[in-house]
Amino acid sequence: MPQQRTGEAQGFSSSKLSVLRKHPYFVDLESEAFDQLCRYAKHVTLKRGATIFAKGDPGNSLFAVISGTVKISISSPDGRNAILNLIGAGEIFGEIALLDGSARSADATANTACELFTIDRREFIPFVRSQPGLAMKFIELLCTRIRWTSDQVEQVILQNLPGRLASALLRLTEKHKLEPQGRTIAITQQEISEMVGMTRESINKQLRAWAARDWVRLEHGAIVVLKAEPLQALAEAGSGDEGE
């Protein structure tokens, strides 16, 4: 990971520190404990495409996204890629290898220009041990990750392309709490194809069919969900109507 760390977190604006304070896993920390957490956090700025960590690297840091988007992915020796998750502002990542001390299980890349906070494992693990409530919240976080992964595996194995694509779009709108009137998902068709395990051509064909029905609108680098109800029906049907 590029060494672009500058200064202690307590020197940054309250708007940046609110990424930590507002996160569900840190919101209940006492003021003294939160101040201690901030002293551990370092600031990182990254350009689009920068490698944050690679699969197999030691898990020695926890990350919180201040701004931008981070891509969590894996790749095969023949160059195929699969996107496991897109991490946006206000979210944390890197907790699995951080907590168990094992190697990273995937690659993390700056999908856009990013600002991050990073906390070293040598400081974070003792901090968690001193905060039993925080430890329980991280157990909840890991359970959420497992459920997320189970849902993805189920969709890839059991759902057809329309069901998989509809599920992915709905999941992204729900994850980022997008309003019904403005469900713009900042994602390319190539990225969505790597999330659902289908070719970009197949994704484009399906999205154009839905655009003709005014279910979605295609924009440069983004997909706007106009009607969630028919997509929800396809996601629940799984192997039913192809939606074309």
Side-chain angles (χ1 to χ4, degrees):
M1 179 176 176
Q3 295 297 310
Q4 299 180 353
R5 302 176 183 180
T6 55
E8 298 291 339
Q10 64 265 32
F12 292 98
S13 67
S14 59
S15 62
K16 291 182 180 180
L17 290 175
S18 69
V19 169
L20 296 178
R21 173 48 90 186
K22 292 181 180 179
H23 194 281
Y25 299 103
F26 302 130
V27 70
D28 293 328
L29 286 176
E30 297 291 338
S31 295
E32 183 178 347
F34 180 71
D35 290 343
Q36 182 180 358
L37 179 69
C38 290
R39 287 194 291 272
Y40 297 149
K42 303 296 188 300
H43 184 252
V44 184
T45 58
L46 297 170
K47 295 181 179 179
R48 179 181 179 182
T51 297
I52 300 170
F53 56 73
K55 183 178 180 179
D57 284 352
N60 52 16
S61 298
L62 179 74
F63 298 89
V65 181
I66 303 170
S67 65
T69 306
V70 172
K71 176 174 66 177
I72 308 297
S73 64
I74 55 175
S75 59
S76 66
D78 62 3
R80 289 178 298 164
N81 296 306
I83 296 177
L84 304 180
N85 206 353
L86 292 173
I87 310 295
E91 297 184 86
I92 63 174
F93 66 98
E95 73 286 344
I96 295 176
L98 175 93
L99 293 173
D100 70 9
S102 299
R104 297 293 188 188
S105 58
D107 303 329
T109 308
N111 207 43
T112 65
C114 290
E115 282 187 277
L116 310 175
F117 281 138
T118 176
I119 302 175
D120 192 277
R121 184 176 192 272
R122 291 170 296 182
E123 296 169 318
F124 190 72
I125 294 300
F127 179 75
V128 171
R129 286 174 176 158
S130 72
Q131 302 289 328
L134 183 59
M136 286 302 302
K137 289 190 175 184
F138 268 87
I139 292 173
E140 293 172 4
L141 173 62
L142 293 175
C143 291
T144 300
R145 295 280 198 247
I146 292 172
R147 290 180 185 277
W148 173 279
T149 302
S150 296
D151 288 343
Q152 285 186 308
V153 171
E154 178 182 351
Q155 290 162 15
V156 169
I157 294 175
L158 300 180
Q159 289 186 319
N160 57 14
L161 171 59
R164 268 188 270 174
L165 181 54
S167 294
L169 293 178
L170 293 170
R171 187 169 66 243
L172 288 168
T173 60
E174 291 168 1
K175 177 181 176 183
H176 297 294
K177 298 180 175 60
L178 300 175
E179 296 298 329
Q181 67 272 21
R183 294 180 173 179
T184 301
I185 306 168
I187 191 170
T188 66
Q189 293 185 31
Q190 180 61 39
E191 288 168 346
I192 199 76
S193 75
E194 293 176 5
M195 289 189 75
V196 302
M198 299 296 290
T199 65
R200 185 188 181 284
E201 291 74 16
S202 298
I203 295 296
N204 180 262
K205 179 181 178 182
Q206 187 63 71
L207 287 173
R208 288 188 179 279
W210 291 350
R213 296 184 178 186
D214 292 325
W215 294 1
V216 301
R217 184 174 69 249
L218 305 182
E219 297 181 352
H220 180 69
I223 301 167
V224 183
V225 176
L226 301 175
K227 297 179 181 177
E229 293 78 8
L231 296 180
Q232 185 66 50
L234 280 178
E236 292 172 356
S239 59
D241 177 20
E242 290 296 305
E244 296 184 6

